Amino acid sequence: MKTLTRTEPGTGISFERRHNGPGEGDIAAMLEELGYASLADLVDDAIPATIRFNGTLDVPGAASEFETLRELRAMAERNQVFRSYLGMGYYGTITPSVILRKVFENPAWYTAYTPYQAEIAQGRLEALLTFQTVVIDLTGLPIANASLLDEATAAAEAMTMCYALKGKEGRETFFVSALCHPQTIDVVRTRARAVGIDVVVGDHASFEFSEQVYGALVQYPATDGALHDYRGFVERAHGGGAVVTVAADLLALTLLEAPGEWGADVVVGSTQRFGVPMGYGGPHAAFMATRDEYKRQLPGRIIGVSRDSRGKPALRMALQTREQHIRREKATSNICTAQVLLAVMAGFYAVYHGPEGLKRIARGVRRHALVLAAGLRELGFEVAEAPFFDTVRVSAGGKRDAILGAARERGINLRPLGQEDLCIALDETVGAADVDDVLAAFGAAAPRAAELVQEVGQELPAEHARESAFLTHPVFHRYRSETEMLRYIHKLESRDLSLVHSMIPLGSCTMKLNAATEMLPVSWPGFSRLHPFVPRDQALGYTELFDQLDAWLSSITGFARVSLQPNAGSQGEYAGLLVIRAYHDGRGQGHRNVCLIPQSAHGTNPASAVMAGMKVVVVRSDEDGNIDVDDLRAKADKHGADLAALMVTYPSTHGIFEESIRDVCAVVHEHGGQVYMDGANMNAMVGLSRPGDIGADVCHLNLHKTFCIPHGGGGPGMGPIGVAAHLAPYLPGHGVVPLEHEQASGAVSAAPWGSASILPISWAYIRMMGPGGLTRATEVAILNANYMAHRLKDHYPVLYTGRNGRVAHECIIDPRPLKAATGVDATDIAKRLMDYGFHAPTVSFPVPGTLMIEPTESESRAEVDRFCSALIAIRAEIREIEDGSADKQDNLLKNAPHTADMVIADDWTHPYGRERAAYPAPWTRESKFWPAVGLVESAAGDRNLVCACPPIEEYQGA
């Protein structure tokens, strides 16, 4: 293994050694058990020679952690942190220090996985239920989801959700108010164009609803800050049979009447200003609330109240098997990544401040806006007459450029609007001195804010003022001291299993190390406090980081260019298909709309294809789990004239390198199609094989997997796409910040570079690993997976293997043969693993009834052995059911997980001992993670969906 010399500061043990779990001695022992003399020999057996990359990645040599932080700090310092009063859905905010320290910067929160295993995710689920309650209370609608990717995406999701509700055929038009944020209009247009929806942008006051209009979107407050009374508009829409979506500002809704109270059917928006830094665009938690009758169409995840095996209240993701998991090509959304970590922060922000604190903040923001408006009028400027919340629109006339320049000299960004106007959107960080600075840019000779604040009135017009209460649940009133808030956050944290406890061996989800050095820069002001629409010369550090990531990821994938805009893997799939469609359109072949998708594809693949306006044709798998090339060829022949693309995951979702992949790509290209490669399994390829060399034309990368951005309990994510040279002109564009693409396919995210503030994580990972370290990580990932498969194969069949009996970076074990004799299935094994202190592998995907396991390269041999020992011990427990020594219904697996109150209860009636239930392995005595609840009932939660916080006593009757 390469070692670093002490020629530069901070060059002790290499980061590569910190990132990879097994040491050299462990690697040698594992290889010996597998029968190999070297890692190179194992890799040669696992990866077909026809797809091997034998060059050197064009990324810089490995830097130490110290050097990497020094380089990133220099980049951050090249970003100029102005006071940006640009609005458009992004605002300065103050993150309470206890939330910054205990959540945002806490690996117990940011390394957890999506809460599919509810029994070991009760803390996160409660935090998300709180988030939903905030949204429900402030919007005035009865049901909300647990976050979406950004406000613009949420608006686009609402448009397609309403389309699914339209009923009457022929309704193909969606109205969008011209007063919506421009990036929202951009993303909505992109989504609509792909599926044939006609978007009309215009004046809501004069728009006439015809029979063709099925839905409408308005902004509240409007993008220029004005408050409009939409009641008449809503009545006209409903009279014409249209569904109304309102994009709203949650902080404003603490003072303004809830949209649900004046007729809105759907409300969307962002919770960014609830304590989440702007981060040059993200990540931020968007939201969607709607009427109860629309809950089955609501995209994203919904947290609901159910009960556990003892009838006690328990939380779970309700309706979690819908949309892409079941509907696939019939899905109207491909959303599989939420913004959980950021939703948790926003929910805690509301808990920290409570309703009275939120109103105090909102009143302060509005007071400063009123003072600013009064000061501008004193200076002779014309201020818009419409009532407003936080944004002042002023006519600057011919002085506009001079005012903008004077503001920038004071470190302030203002927003030009129209020919002569400026918009100034204030936030909770603004004080009287800031208002005076803005007034000085307009020519004020002396401070006036302190005096004017005594003169302005605060009352809102009656048609806008809120009268209804909100956030009445005790959780929003209980934690006012920091001591209590700290303990509350820690209590929830302790109910969640994360990477701080043990490995999370989820196949295809790659829960690897999120190193502290990678995470540190995310909190730095130079990365976290920039508005996404500041002038480009204020973000030179970000520009440098983007350019380097583009070049590095292009080299790693073998592509010509990369777009960093998609802010989730699902968005990457969608963006890649839009690029392919734009390419075909540009060649006069816009009729090509057929997408071939193998049976084993991720559920989001067919859903993404439908969202991109494509027709899905399924390709069979053969008995070994590979793509049936004969079936592919037959379907390519049949649909050749209309073939747009093939979506293929590589290595396959079955955890193997398919030998035929080059032939598969060739078949598609022969028929004029493009190959989209799902890069979810790139962790098995980096440095050893490149999608662009194999024959792919476009590939998305899950930076929250292979490139170390943490999963955050179900988000944030990033899903940039790499493309071949002929597709580069069609990469996503952006309506607010022009990007350098000749024939851009349209914006897919609200911000031009997606969730930009988390990109330093992947930059740091690549920078510290270097070309050799990146390749070594892949080799160790393949080693760990094959070692695990080897240890388990005599206890559980390994379902699929590739050449020479080897797997890629993950394997599927098959407990299905056990069910007939014992009644035990994959879910029972998953729940029993909790008693051993482990999160389950991926359950029933891609093959129903199986377990897909991925150890990653970051887990040590000791941890891999510990997990294997747990599965082997569980197999022995199953054997007791087989031989009749354990009851088929009342046994260790069927009653799992066992909680602390279960095993200390006086009425223990099970035929096995408490000790076996609670402490099944030696390590559980050293450190025991107790599931917070027993087995959670799925059906009860779906039948009786409760997605807000009623008083805790009401849970007892759930």
Side-chain angles (χ1 to χ4, degrees), residues 726-752:
H726 64 282
L727 296 180
Y730 304 97
L731 286 170
H734 198 272
V736 180
V737 180
L739 302 177
E740 302 79 15
H741 309 314
E742 299 167 18
Q743 298 166 275
S745 54
V748 297
S749 300

mmCIF file of all heavy atoms in Angstrom, residues 726-752:
data_model
loop_
_atom_site.group_PDB
_atom_site.id
_atom_site.type_symbol
_atom_site.label_atom_id
_atom_site.label_comp_id
_atom_site.label_asym_id
_atom_site.label_seq_id
_atom_site.Cartn_x
_atom_site.Cartn_y
_atom_site.Cartn_z
ATOM 1 N N HIS A 726 -21.423 14.006 -27.448
ATOM 2 C CA HIS A 726 -22.541 14.390 -28.315
ATOM 3 C C HIS A 726 -23.773 14.811 -27.538
ATOM 4 O O HIS A 726 -24.681 15.438 -28.092
ATOM 5 C CB HIS A 726 -22.876 13.250 -29.284
ATOM 6 C CG HIS A 726 -23.374 11.995 -28.619
ATOM 7 N ND1 HIS A 726 -22.535 11.096 -28.001
ATOM 8 C CD2 HIS A 726 -24.624 11.489 -28.487
ATOM 9 C CE1 HIS A 726 -23.239 10.091 -27.516
ATOM 10 N NE2 HIS A 726 -24.520 10.305 -27.797
ATOM 11 N N LEU A 727 -23.825 14.476 -26.231
ATOM 12 C CA LEU A 727 -24.960 14.875 -25.405
ATOM 13 C C LEU A 727 -24.684 16.125 -24.580
ATOM 14 O O LEU A 727 -25.612 16.709 -23.997
ATOM 15 C CB LEU A 727 -25.359 13.734 -24.466
ATOM 16 C CG LEU A 727 -25.871 12.442 -25.112
ATOM 17 C CD1 LEU A 727 -26.231 11.417 -24.042
ATOM 18 C CD2 LEU A 727 -27.063 12.703 -26.013
ATOM 19 N N ALA A 728 -23.428 16.556 -24.505
ATOM 20 C CA ALA A 728 -23.053 17.673 -23.640
ATOM 21 C C ALA A 728 -23.858 18.947 -23.905
ATOM 22 O O ALA A 728 -24.213 19.665 -22.962
ATOM 23 C CB ALA A 728 -21.555 17.947 -23.755
ATOM 24 N N PRO A 729 -24.170 19.291 -25.167
ATOM 25 C CA PRO A 729 -24.938 20.526 -25.389
ATOM 26 C C PRO A 729 -26.345 20.494 -24.801
ATOM 27 O O PRO A 729 -26.988 21.546 -24.698
ATOM 28 C CB PRO A 729 -25.004 20.624 -26.925
ATOM 29 C CG PRO A 729 -23.873 19.794 -27.423
ATOM 30 C CD PRO A 729 -23.754 18.675 -26.440
ATOM 31 N N TYR A 730 -26.826 19.313 -24.419
ATOM 32 C CA TYR A 730 -28.211 19.174 -23.980
ATOM 33 C C TYR A 730 -28.341 19.036 -22.461
ATOM 34 O O TYR A 730 -29.416 18.717 -21.955
ATOM 35 C CB TYR A 730 -28.846 17.963 -24.659
ATOM 36 C CG TYR A 730 -28.764 18.021 -26.165
ATOM 37 C CD1 TYR A 730 -27.747 17.362 -26.849
ATOM 38 C CD2 TYR A 730 -29.685 18.759 -26.905
ATOM 39 C CE1 TYR A 730 -27.650 17.417 -28.235
ATOM 40 C CE2 TYR A 730 -29.601 18.828 -28.295
ATOM 41 C CZ TYR A 730 -28.576 18.158 -28.950
ATOM 42 O OH TYR A 730 -28.492 18.222 -30.312
ATOM 43 N N LEU A 731 -27.253 19.265 -21.728
ATOM 44 C CA LEU A 731 -27.317 19.170 -20.271
ATOM 45 C C LEU A 731 -28.295 20.203 -19.715
ATOM 46 O O LEU A 731 -28.613 21.198 -20.370
ATOM 47 C CB LEU A 731 -25.920 19.381 -19.676
ATOM 48 C CG LEU A 731 -24.949 18.210 -19.835
ATOM 49 C CD1 LEU A 731 -23.541 18.622 -19.428
ATOM 50 C CD2 LEU A 731 -25.400 17.002 -19.018
ATOM 51 N N PRO A 732 -28.799 19.999 -18.485
ATOM 52 C CA PRO A 732 -29.794 20.925 -17.933
ATOM 53 C C PRO A 732 -29.309 22.367 -17.906
ATOM 54 O O PRO A 732 -28.144 22.643 -17.586
ATOM 55 C CB PRO A 732 -30.002 20.393 -16.504
ATOM 56 C CG PRO A 732 -29.666 18.945 -16.581
ATOM 57 C CD PRO A 732 -28.551 18.852 -17.580
ATOM 58 N N GLY A 733 -30.212 23.276 -18.241
ATOM 59 C CA GLY A 733 -29.928 24.701 -18.149
ATOM 60 C C GLY A 733 -30.578 25.286 -16.911
ATOM 61 O O GLY A 733 -31.000 24.570 -16.001
ATOM 62 N N HIS A 734 -30.664 26.610 -16.871
ATOM 63 C CA HIS A 734 -31.314 27.262 -15.729
ATOM 64 C C HIS A 734 -31.779 28.646 -16.152
ATOM 65 O O HIS A 734 -31.029 29.387 -16.795
ATOM 66 C CB HIS A 734 -30.372 27.367 -14.537
ATOM 67 C CG HIS A 734 -31.083 27.620 -13.240
ATOM 68 N ND1 HIS A 734 -31.384 28.888 -12.786
ATOM 69 C CD2 HIS A 734 -31.586 26.767 -12.308
ATOM 70 C CE1 HIS A 734 -32.024 28.794 -11.635
ATOM 71 N NE2 HIS A 734 -32.165 27.520 -11.320
ATOM 72 N N GLY A 735 -33.019 28.993 -15.805
ATOM 73 C CA GLY A 735 -33.606 30.242 -16.265
ATOM 74 C C GLY A 735 -33.126 31.475 -15.546
ATOM 75 O O GLY A 735 -33.265 32.591 -16.053
ATOM 76 N N VAL A 736 -32.563 31.330 -14.346
ATOM 77 C CA VAL A 736 -32.106 32.492 -13.579
ATOM 78 C C VAL A 736 -30.608 32.703 -13.737
ATOM 79 O O VAL A 736 -30.140 33.825 -13.906
ATOM 80 C CB VAL A 736 -32.471 32.338 -12.086
ATOM 81 C CG1 VAL A 736 -31.986 33.550 -11.283
ATOM 82 C CG2 VAL A 736 -33.978 32.161 -11.919
ATOM 83 N N VAL A 737 -29.851 31.620 -13.667
ATOM 84 C CA VAL A 737 -28.394 31.684 -13.828
ATOM 85 C C VAL A 737 -28.051 30.932 -15.113
ATOM 86 O O VAL A 737 -28.034 29.697 -15.129
ATOM 87 C CB VAL A 737 -27.666 31.039 -12.625
ATOM 88 C CG1 VAL A 737 -26.154 31.124 -12.807
ATOM 89 C CG2 VAL A 737 -28.093 31.720 -11.328
ATOM 90 N N PRO A 738 -27.778 31.636 -16.203
ATOM 91 C CA PRO A 738 -27.504 30.955 -17.474
ATOM 92 C C PRO A 738 -26.309 30.020 -17.376
ATOM 93 O O PRO A 738 -25.272 30.365 -16.807
ATOM 94 C CB PRO A 738 -27.223 32.122 -18.436
ATOM 95 C CG PRO A 738 -27.873 33.307 -17.808
ATOM 96 C CD PRO A 738 -27.751 33.103 -16.326
ATOM 97 N N LEU A 739 -26.459 28.808 -17.919
ATOM 98 C CA LEU A 739 -25.389 27.817 -17.950
ATOM 99 C C LEU A 739 -24.920 27.634 -19.385
ATOM 100 O O LEU A 739 -25.643 27.944 -20.334
ATOM 101 C CB LEU A 739 -25.874 26.492 -17.359
ATOM 102 C CG LEU A 739 -26.394 26.582 -15.918
ATOM 103 C CD1 LEU A 739 -26.919 25.236 -15.454
ATOM 104 C CD2 LEU A 739 -25.297 27.066 -14.971
ATOM 105 N N GLU A 740 -23.732 27.118 -19.544
ATOM 106 C CA GLU A 740 -23.084 27.101 -20.850
ATOM 107 C C GLU A 740 -23.450 25.878 -21.671
ATOM 108 O O GLU A 740 -22.587 25.102 -22.070
ATOM 109 C CB GLU A 740 -21.553 27.181 -20.672
ATOM 110 C CG GLU A 740 -21.067 28.409 -19.907
ATOM 111 C CD GLU A 740 -21.232 28.299 -18.401
ATOM 112 O OE1 GLU A 740 -21.458 27.175 -17.909
ATOM 113 O OE2 GLU A 740 -21.146 29.343 -17.727
ATOM 114 N N HIS A 741 -24.727 25.670 -21.910
ATOM 115 C CA HIS A 741 -25.163 24.551 -22.732
ATOM 116 C C HIS A 741 -25.944 25.096 -23.921
ATOM 117 O O HIS A 741 -26.902 25.856 -23.753
ATOM 118 C CB HIS A 741 -26.014 23.573 -21.921
ATOM 119 C CG HIS A 741 -25.380 23.146 -20.631
ATOM 120 N ND1 HIS A 741 -24.055 22.761 -20.546
ATOM 121 C CD2 HIS A 741 -25.871 23.082 -19.372
ATOM 122 C CE1 HIS A 741 -23.780 22.463 -19.286
ATOM 123 N NE2 HIS A 741 -24.856 22.656 -18.557
ATOM 124 N N GLU A 742 -25.566 24.687 -25.098
ATOM 125 C CA GLU A 742 -26.109 25.288 -26.322
ATOM 126 C C GLU A 742 -27.601 25.033 -26.492
ATOM 127 O O GLU A 742 -28.360 25.895 -26.898
ATOM 128 C CB GLU A 742 -25.356 24.741 -27.538
ATOM 129 C CG GLU A 742 -23.865 25.054 -27.529
ATOM 130 C CD GLU A 742 -23.113 24.225 -28.564
ATOM 131 O OE1 GLU A 742 -23.775 23.700 -29.479
ATOM 132 O OE2 GLU A 742 -21.884 24.101 -28.449
ATOM 133 N N GLN A 743 -28.041 23.813 -26.198
ATOM 134 C CA GLN A 743 -29.439 23.432 -26.396
ATOM 135 C C GLN A 743 -29.974 22.779 -25.131
ATOM 136 O O GLN A 743 -30.438 21.652 -25.150
ATOM 137 C CB GLN A 743 -29.548 22.486 -27.597
ATOM 138 C CG GLN A 743 -29.112 23.113 -28.911
ATOM 139 C CD GLN A 743 -28.910 22.065 -29.995
ATOM 140 O OE1 GLN A 743 -27.849 21.454 -30.102
ATOM 141 N NE2 GLN A 743 -29.940 21.861 -30.805
ATOM 142 N N ALA A 744 -29.865 23.493 -24.016
ATOM 143 C CA ALA A 744 -30.165 22.941 -22.703
ATOM 144 C C ALA A 744 -31.541 22.287 -22.659
ATOM 145 O O ALA A 744 -32.496 22.754 -23.270
ATOM 146 C CB ALA A 744 -30.070 24.033 -21.646
ATOM 147 N N SER A 745 -31.614 21.190 -21.902
ATOM 148 C CA SER A 745 -32.849 20.403 -21.833
ATOM 149 C C SER A 745 -33.830 20.937 -20.804
ATOM 150 O O SER A 745 -34.904 20.386 -20.647
ATOM 151 C CB SER A 745 -32.510 18.938 -21.514
ATOM 152 O OG SER A 745 -31.711 18.845 -20.345
ATOM 153 N N GLY A 746 -33.493 22.007 -20.108
ATOM 154 C CA GLY A 746 -34.410 22.574 -19.116
ATOM 155 C C GLY A 746 -33.953 22.282 -17.702
ATOM 156 O O GLY A 746 -33.286 21.281 -17.431
ATOM 157 N N ALA A 747 -34.324 23.155 -16.773
ATOM 158 C CA ALA A 747 -33.911 22.993 -15.377
ATOM 159 C C ALA A 747 -34.656 21.842 -14.720
ATOM 160 O O ALA A 747 -35.855 21.661 -14.943
ATOM 161 C CB ALA A 747 -34.162 24.281 -14.606
ATOM 162 N N VAL A 748 -33.952 21.080 -13.905
ATOM 163 C CA VAL A 748 -34.579 19.990 -13.154
ATOM 164 C C VAL A 748 -34.563 20.253 -11.660
ATOM 165 O O VAL A 748 -35.183 19.512 -10.900
ATOM 166 C CB VAL A 748 -33.900 18.630 -13.457
ATOM 167 C CG1 VAL A 748 -34.071 18.260 -14.917
ATOM 168 C CG2 VAL A 748 -32.433 18.647 -13.064
ATOM 169 N N SER A 749 -33.844 21.285 -11.232
ATOM 170 C CA SER A 749 -33.788 21.650 -9.823
ATOM 171 C C SER A 749 -33.933 23.157 -9.694
ATOM 172 O O SER A 749 -33.681 23.902 -10.648
ATOM 173 C CB SER A 749 -32.460 21.200 -9.186
ATOM 174 O OG SER A 749 -32.303 19.807 -9.271
ATOM 175 N N ALA A 750 -34.302 23.607 -8.493
ATOM 176 C CA ALA A 750 -34.510 25.034 -8.284
ATOM 177 C C ALA A 750 -33.226 25.826 -8.413
ATOM 178 O O ALA A 750 -33.227 26.957 -8.888
ATOM 179 C CB ALA A 750 -35.129 25.268 -6.912
ATOM 180 N N ALA A 751 -32.103 25.253 -7.997
ATOM 181 C CA ALA A 751 -30.817 25.945 -8.028
ATOM 182 C C ALA A 751 -29.958 25.373 -9.154
ATOM 183 O O ALA A 751 -30.041 24.178 -9.467
ATOM 184 C CB ALA A 751 -30.098 25.801 -6.690
ATOM 185 N N PRO A 752 -29.110 26.195 -9.764
ATOM 186 C CA PRO A 752 -28.364 25.745 -10.950
ATOM 187 C C PRO A 752 -27.386 24.607 -10.683
ATOM 188 O O PRO A 752 -27.105 23.824 -11.590
ATOM 189 C CB PRO A 752 -27.638 27.012 -11.417
ATOM 190 C CG PRO A 752 -27.686 27.955 -10.260
ATOM 191 C CD PRO A 752 -28.915 27.626 -9.491
#
